[in-house]
């Protein structure tokens, strides 16, 4: 079998059948040069597209033809070297490039074996190493030329970006243009920073083929309007423009006052008679329509996990710098090692593995494929596509087989959104197929009866999806010390910094506006409570008294969550801000066990739900099943109910299906009996409830105000840096952390006991709150705030009316009685109270709380 995936000498050219049916003539350009000819670099197939009947099927791109990853890489690097030579870059000249050209031609024409491909690979690497650094920017075209653009930029050692058809929420395109003949015409350029487009030096536009030049010219015009430069280079594997197309490009260059160069591995014309139309063909069936489809198994590596760290760029969708190359290759090596460990053994050492990229995601899968090859596994590389192509299993045709499946891209753009394809995959049996996706593509449709895994199942005994996190554009996490007093590695706040905005107001007026329905409680902030010396001393005394109880609850709920989920790779998602100290403590406890649990804080707002932008950010980077939502305590269960509804809605919106974010909530204390993951159901004092920002990293309660927060922004919060002298956040965490060793054994035994017990929520707290509402004649149950933590919040933030306490719980209520006395709030006792205490907000004329 030819190494490059094309016929060896003496067999039929893979464009012969189409050329004969359409009357196509391939005419090479005048002049001879060492290197591949046009017909070495492509075959022909028939499109399902009225704009153009034929398709050039590249033999080196791996978009439609499974190919040795080394051949793909060498062809891309050679194209970059040709660009360097045209620009006069030192080290790039014909004498240096001729060995690469000749080696590529030899591999493509002879179907040479591994030795010839290794020679090609080494020649390309040596030639690249000799090229001097320079300026410039590479722009690759989606979906076909994304990896090719990476490789050209890699040869030139310049930054790159590729266009995309994915609409990324919160990301503003810096450029847009159309590709007239494509099945999906719209292209967006969405760098993290639009300044990337102003990178000095030539702009190199990279595509697989240059057929008319109209798309490239449209791109140059759009780019020149925002970042004009003197030199543009259009680089393609093949240049098959007609004379009038070349003249149009020259005229445009004169009009713009710029030099436009064209570089290709081979040039000439593909002449198609006017009026030629493709003969019809039957559609490729969906998996459920085929007779041989078997159900796909569960994914073997549903998340690349630590193998591909969050923050390592998986593509150039939002820009890619030369410095991003080494981390990507290291991550690809780690993923390949994980994949190799999961592949079925082949005692004969035979059977190739197909690594299949997905649409725009080509470069990272290419690197995974090559890294897997270096482990000794025979590998071919290819990718899926959204372009419908006729499949004909006849000699001399470039697309001999195809599979069709329902799109699984969560942000599908609507162009042929129902179906996607993988070609020449079913033409041979594979030892295994490894599908490399990014996290936004790992939706429920991927695993459905008409999904990609089902479509591939008949063609390999193992179909192994590997999901990479994305490094997406848009807002990122805030970290200390720039935001908050916690260390940067303790928590990433998925919040918008509103520190510059005055949001605090008078307590009485704020309460009236909330209860009258004029304002939502999350649209403003209460004034931060500044405790006096007596209260601070009482707080410090209570931390010392209950640090071991807090530590025991942390260990218990952490171990219970870990074993209930059956995994040690949890991602802690704390509900800011009360849950954030607990999230840090869980992360610290996990680290002592040798587990790295990333921790991010998100906002949830009663009646408004969880921050969907933040949740999307998380599921773009982590397997949703890893997410563990954490809070400090439950009151009557309003947030637990809000979370369940919000997560269900988010999973539906993000098309995650049964593999979405779990809706369970983990808390230290669950006196309301409304969750299944808890450290205790005792209503005890958690010291972080006694203060506000000064025990929570100097961060305010979260804000959701439409005047400040856009539809794709994270919810907001403030950093009270001016309170740094009063901050006890770190002292509190350290006191609890120091108690872990003493409580570890007993707390784990308690987790084991709870795991075997019936933890079904009874919602007794909600029933008690409704009873208190009736007893006190309150217009809404929302004015009843049960539990030590919620009562403390009422006294610190709201306008309290009275506090109800259970006799005999004075040790946990000293700070509550002190605050109530300061504010003149009556404290009454109730023997049948299921909580240590309940705070009641003073009702106004109406209640909108």
């Amino acid at each position: 079998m030819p190494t490059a995936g094309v016929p060896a000498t003496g067999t039929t050219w893979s464009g012969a059948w189409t050329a004969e049916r359409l009357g196509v003539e391939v005419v090479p350009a005048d002049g001879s040069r060492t290197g591949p000819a046009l017909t070495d670099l492509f075959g022909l197939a028939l499109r399902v597209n009225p704009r153009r009947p034929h398709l050039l099927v590249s033999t080196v791109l791996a978009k439609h033809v499974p190919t040795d990853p080394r051949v793909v890489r060498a062809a891309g690097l050679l194209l970059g070297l040709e660009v360097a030579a045209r620009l006069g870059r030192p080290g790039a000249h014909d004498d240096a490039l001729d060995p690469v050209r000749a080696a590529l031609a030899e591999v493509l024409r002879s179907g040479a074996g591994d030795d010839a491909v290794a020679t090609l690979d080494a020649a390309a690497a040596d030639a690249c190493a000799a090229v001097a650094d320079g300026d410039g920017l590479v722009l690759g075209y989606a979906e076909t030329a994304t990896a090719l653009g990476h490789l050209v930029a890699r040869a030139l050692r310049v930054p790159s970006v590729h266009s995309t058809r994915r609409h990324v929420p919160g990301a503003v395109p810096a450029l847009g243009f159309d590709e007239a003949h494509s099945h999906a015409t719209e292209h967006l350029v969405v760098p993290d920073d639009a300044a990337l487009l102003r990178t000095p030096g030539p702009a190199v536009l990279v595509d697989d083929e240059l057929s008319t030049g109209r798309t490239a010219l449209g791109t140059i015009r759009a780019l020149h309007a925002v970042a004009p430069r003197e030199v543009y280079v259009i680089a393609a594997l093949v240049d098959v423009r007609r004379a009038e197309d070349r003249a149009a490009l020259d005229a445009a260059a004169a009009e713009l006052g710029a030099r436009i160069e064209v570089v290709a591995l081979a040039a000439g014309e593909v002449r198609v008679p006017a009026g030629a139309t493709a003969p019809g063909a039957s559609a490729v069936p969906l998996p459920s329509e085929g007779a041989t489809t078997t159900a796909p198994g569960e994914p073997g590596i549903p998340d690349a996990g630590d193998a591909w760290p969050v923050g390592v760029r998986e593509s150039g969708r939002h820009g890619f710098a030369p410095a991003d190359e080494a981390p990507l290759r290291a991550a690809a090596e780690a993923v390949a090692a994980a994949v190799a460990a999961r592949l079925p053994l082949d005692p004969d050492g035979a059977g190739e593995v197909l690594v299949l990229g997905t649409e725009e995601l080509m470069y990272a899968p290419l690197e995974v494929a090559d890294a897997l090859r270096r482990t000794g596994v025979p590998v071919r590389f290819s990718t899926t596509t959204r372009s419908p192509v006729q499949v004909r299993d006849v000699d001399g045709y470039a697309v001999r087989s195809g599979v069709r499946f329902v799109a699984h891209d969560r942000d599908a753009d609507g162009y042929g959104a129902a179906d996607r394809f993988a070609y020449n995959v079913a033409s041979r049996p594979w030892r295994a197929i490894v599908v490399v996706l990014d996290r936004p593509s790992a939706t429920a449709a991927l695993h459905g009866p008409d999904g990609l895994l089902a479509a591939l199942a008949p063609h390999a005994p193992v179909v192994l999806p590997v999901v990479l996190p994305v490094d997406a554009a848009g807002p990122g996490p805030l970290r200390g010390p720039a935001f908050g007093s916690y260390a940067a590695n303790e928590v990433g706040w998925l919040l918008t910094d509103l520190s510059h905005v005055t949001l605090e107001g008078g307590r009485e007026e704020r309460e009236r506006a909330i209860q009258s329905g004029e304002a939502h409680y999350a649209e403003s902030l209460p004034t931060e409570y500044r405790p006096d010396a007596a209260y601070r001393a009482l707080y410090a005394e209570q931390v010392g008294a209950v640090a071991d109880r807090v530590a025991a609850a942390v260990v218990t709920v952490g171990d219970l969550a870990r074993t209930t989920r059956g995994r040690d790779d949890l991602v802690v998602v704390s509900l800011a801000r009360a849950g954030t100290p607990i999230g840090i403590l869980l992360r610290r406890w996990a680290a002592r066990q040798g587990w790295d649990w990333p921790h991010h804080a998100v906002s949830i707002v009663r009646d408004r739900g969880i921050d969907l932008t933040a949740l999307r950010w998380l599921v773009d980077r982590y397997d949703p099943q890893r997410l563990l939502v954490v809070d400090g305590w439950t009151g009557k269960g309003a947030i637990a109910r809000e979370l369940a509804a919000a997560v269900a809605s988010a999973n539906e919106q993000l098309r995650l299906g049964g593999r979405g974010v779990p809706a369970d909530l983990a808390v230290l204390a669950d006196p309301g009996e409304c969750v299944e993951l808890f450290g205790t159901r005792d209503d005890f004092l958690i010291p972080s409830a006694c203060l506000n920002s000064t025990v929570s990293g100097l961060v305010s309660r979260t804000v959701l105000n439409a005047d400040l927060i856009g539809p794709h922004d994270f919810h907001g919060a403030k950093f009270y840096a001016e309170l740094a002298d009063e901050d006890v956040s770190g002292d509190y965490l350290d006191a609890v952390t120091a108690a872990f060793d003493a409580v570890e054994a007993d707390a784990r035994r308690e987790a084991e006991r709870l795991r075997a017990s019936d933890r079904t929520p009874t919602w007794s707290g909600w029933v008690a709150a409704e009873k208190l509402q009736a007893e006190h004649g309150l217009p809404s149950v929302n004015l009843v705030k049960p539990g030590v933590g919620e009562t403390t919040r009422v006294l610190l933030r709201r306008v309290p009316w009275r506090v109800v306490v259970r006799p005999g719980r004075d040790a946990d209520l000293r700070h509550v009685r002190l605050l109530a006395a300061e504010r003149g709030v009556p404290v009454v006792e109730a023997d049948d109270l299921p909580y240590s205490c309940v705070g009641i907000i003073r009702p106004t004329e109406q209640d909108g709380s």
Side-chain angles (χ1 to χ4, degrees):
M1 185 176 297
T3 299
V6 295
T9 302
T11 63
T12 306
W13 172 52
S14 63
W17 191 93
T18 302
E20 181 180 347
R21 296 306 185 281
L22 295 182
V24 173
E25 185 181 4
V26 179
V27 182
D30 293 336
S32 60
R33 187 184 69 177
T34 303
L38 282 175
T39 51
D40 296 327
L41 290 167
F42 66 81
L44 292 172
L46 299 172
R47 292 177 180 264
V48 183
N49 186 338
R51 296 185 183 92
R52 184 187 296 180
H54 67 290
L55 174 72
L56 273 59
V57 178
S58 174
T59 60
V60 297
L61 195 66
K63 175 51 73 172
H64 300 87
V65 180
T67 307
D68 189 307
R70 292 170 294 179
V71 175
V72 179
R73 181 174 60 212
L77 293 177
L78 177 57
L79 183 59
L81 292 167
E82 298 283 6
V83 172
R86 182 66 61 87
L87 294 173
R89 185 79 66 82
H93 48 77
D94 280 345
D95 289 345
L97 270 57
D98 273 344
V100 191
R101 295 168 178 154
L104 179 60
E106 171 65 18
V107 166
L108 295 176
R109 290 171 187 167
S110 68
D114 189 73
D115 289 346
V117 177
T119 298
L120 167 64
D121 197 34
D126 290 345
C128 285
V131 178
D133 290 343
D135 293 330
L137 171 70
V138 169
L139 191 156
Y141 286 98
E143 62 180 46
T144 306
T146 56
L148 189 62
H150 272 284
L151 290 163
V152 169
R154 182 165 153 183
L156 294 170
R157 291 193 288 280
V158 299
S160 66
V161 64
H162 69 68
S163 67
T164 183
R165 294 182 175 117
R166 177 181 290 176
H167 292 261
V168 181
V172 179
L175 206 66
F177 52 89
D178 286 340
E179 183 180 6
H181 69 267
S182 175
H183 182 72
T185 61
E186 183 186 33
H187 285 256
L188 303 173
V189 181
V190 194
D192 280 334
D193 186 348
L196 178 67
L197 300 185
R198 297 189 292 275
T199 300
V204 182
L205 313 182
V206 179
D207 211 347
D208 59 318
E209 64 177 85
L210 188 59
S211 53
T212 66
R214 287 195 292 268
T215 299
L217 184 53
T219 309
I220 289 173
R221 291 186 185 281
L223 186 57
H224 202 72
V226 299
R229 59 193 74 217
E230 296 178 356
V231 179
Y232 297 89
V233 179
I234 303 171
L237 294 171
V238 294
D239 175 6
V240 293
R241 292 172 298 153
R242 298 165 299 176
E244 55 265 39
D245 299 322
R246 298 170 189 272
L249 196 65
D250 292 340
E255 173 195 337
L256 295 173
R259 177 176 139 218
I260 302 178
E261 298 278 359
V262 175
V263 173
L265 299 188
E269 286 189 42
V270 177
R271 297 173 182 170
V272 183
T277 58
S282 60
V284 177
L286 285 167
S288 60
E289 299 168 356
T292 59
T293 299
T294 58
E298 288 294 302
I301 307 179
D303 194 300
D306 295 334
W308 196 287
V310 168
V312 173
R313 298 232 157 179
E314 84 299 340
S315 77
R317 182 178 287 115
H318 304 297
F320 196 89
D324 294 322
E325 192 72 50
L328 181 145
R329 288 195 222 174
E333 292 275 359
V335 169
V339 167
R342 302 297 295 271
L343 292 177
L345 295 175
D346 189 334
D348 299 325
E352 291 180 311
V353 170
L354 175 65
V355 174
L356 190 68
T358 42
E359 298 187 43
E360 295 175 9
L361 186 66
M362 294 184 68
Y363 188 57
L366 172 64
E367 287 299 307
V368 170
D370 195 57
L372 185 60
R373 178 195 61 80
R374 292 195 296 274
T375 69
V377 176
V379 171
R380 295 284 170 138
F381 169 66
S382 186
T383 62
T384 65
T385 178
R386 67 185 62 204
S387 298
V389 180
Q390 291 192 27
V391 172
R392 294 178 181 271
D393 190 15
V394 294
D395 193 28
Y397 190 77
V399 179
R400 302 287 292 268
S401 69
V403 298
R404 171 174 156 231
F405 54 94
V406 170
H408 50 258
D409 188 335
R410 187 180 69 221
D411 298 301
D413 53 31
Y415 293 104
D419 298 332
R420 300 289 190 265
F421 306 89
Y423 296 113
N424 286 316
V425 169
S427 300
R428 72 182 82 174
W430 301 98
R431 172 180 162 192
I433 299 176
V434 178
V435 183
V436 182
L437 312 100
D438 60 18
R439 175 52 56 195
S441 297
T443 62
L446 173 69
H447 303 272
D450 283 327
L452 175 57
L453 303 186
L456 297 174
H459 309 296
V462 173
V463 178
L464 186 68
V466 178
V467 183
L468 308 183
V470 299
D471 191 49
L478 301 172
R479 295 186 184 274
F483 184 86
S485 63
Y486 294 133
N489 67 337
E490 298 265 38
V491 60
W493 301 89
L494 298 181
L495 297 171
T496 299
D497 188 356
L498 300 180
S499 302
H500 60 290
V501 182
T502 300
L503 291 164
E504 298 80 4
R507 184 180 303 188
E508 296 278 350
E509 177 58 26
R510 181 172 181 272
E511 190 65 49
R512 187 203 62 77
I514 290 171
Q515 293 195 38
S516 68
E518 294 177 17
H520 190 274
Y521 78 87
E523 292 175 343
S524 62
L525 290 172
T527 301
E528 281 286 304
Y529 171 63
R530 308 287 293 273
D532 58 20
Y535 188 88
R536 290 197 300 271
L538 176 58
Y539 163 81
E541 179 184 329
Q542 291 180 312
V543 169
V546 301
D548 57 342
R549 293 177 70 187
V550 176
V554 169
V555 175
T556 298
V557 72
D559 198 53
L560 182 62
R562 178 188 68 84
T563 53
T564 300
R565 292 282 188 88
R567 60 194 312 159
D568 295 334
D569 62 344
L570 296 175
V571 175
V572 178
V573 181
S574 63
L575 299 180
R577 68 184 168 188
T580 303
I582 313 308
I584 293 175
L585 289 168
L586 277 168
R587 174 174 164 77
R588 288 186 177 188
W589 171 76
R592 294 163 69 91
Q593 320 307 315
W595 308 317
D596 181 14
W597 290 3
H599 175 211
H600 301 283
V602 305
S603 168
I604 190 169
V605 175
R606 185 166 47 78
D607 304 326
R608 304 289 175 86
I610 200 165
D611 185 342
L612 184 60
T613 300
L615 200 61
R616 179 187 289 266
W617 189 97
L618 289 164
V619 301
D620 280 353
R621 289 158 177 80
Y622 304 104
D623 177 356
Q625 297 283 293
R626 293 176 62 190
L627 304 186
L628 176 69
V629 183
V630 172
D631 206 0
W633 55 84
T634 63
K636 56 183 175 287
I639 290 299
R641 289 186 174 185
E642 191 76 46
L643 178 68
V647 164
S649 175
N651 285 337
E652 181 178 0
Q653 290 184 60
L654 300 179
R655 299 201 293 165
L656 297 174
R659 299 170 188 275
V661 180
D664 49 356
L665 176 65
V667 298
L668 288 196
D670 177 36
E673 297 194 9
C674 46
V675 300
E676 294 186 14
L677 299 177
F678 52 85
T680 179
R681 278 184 165 157
D682 186 22
D683 185 19
F684 80 102
L685 170 66
I686 299 173
S688 52
C690 296
L691 299 171
N692 285 329
S693 68
T694 52
V695 77
S696 300
L698 297 181
V699 173
S700 74
R701 202 215 63 236
T702 61
V703 174
L704 182 55
N705 186 318
D707 293 335
L708 302 169
I709 305 298
H712 298 302
D713 294 332
F714 297 138
H715 294 185
K718 297 182 70 168
F719 170 31
Y720 291 118
E722 66 274 17
L723 300 181
D725 290 345
E726 302 171 34
D727 188 27
V728 294
S729 304
D731 294 339
Y732 169 62
L733 296 175
D734 291 344
V736 177
T737 303
F740 281 152
D741 285 342
V743 303
E744 179 85 20
D746 288 343
R748 285 206 170 193
R749 280 191 289 271
E750 175 63 7
E752 186 176 354
R753 184 192 69 79
L754 288 175
R755 190 163 53 253
S757 68
D758 182 5
R759 292 172 282 115
T760 304
T762 66
W763 297 94
S764 61
W766 196 279
V767 173
E770 290 178 327
K771 181 171 181 280
L772 285 168
Q773 176 195 357
E775 289 176 353
H776 293 270
L778 300 172
S780 170
V781 73
N782 288 330
L783 298 180
V784 181
K785 304 294 183 180
V788 178
E790 293 304 302
T791 301
T792 305
R793 285 179 167 182
V794 169
L795 292 166
L796 292 178
R797 302 182 190 173
R798 306 295 291 270
V799 178
W801 187 32
R802 61 189 62 167
V803 173
V804 184
V805 301
R806 191 170 80 198
R809 300 304 297 257
D810 288 346
D812 284 325
L813 300 181
R814 293 171 61 196
H815 75 291
V816 169
R817 291 185 179 276
L818 180 58
L819 289 173
E822 286 181 358
R823 286 157 175 71
V825 177
V827 176
V828 298
E829 294 187 347
D831 292 330
D832 60 347
L833 199 65
Y835 297 92
S836 295
C837 61
V838 175
I840 299 178
I841 298 170
R842 190 183 72 195
T844 57
E845 295 178 3
Q846 304 178 51
D847 175 51
S849 174

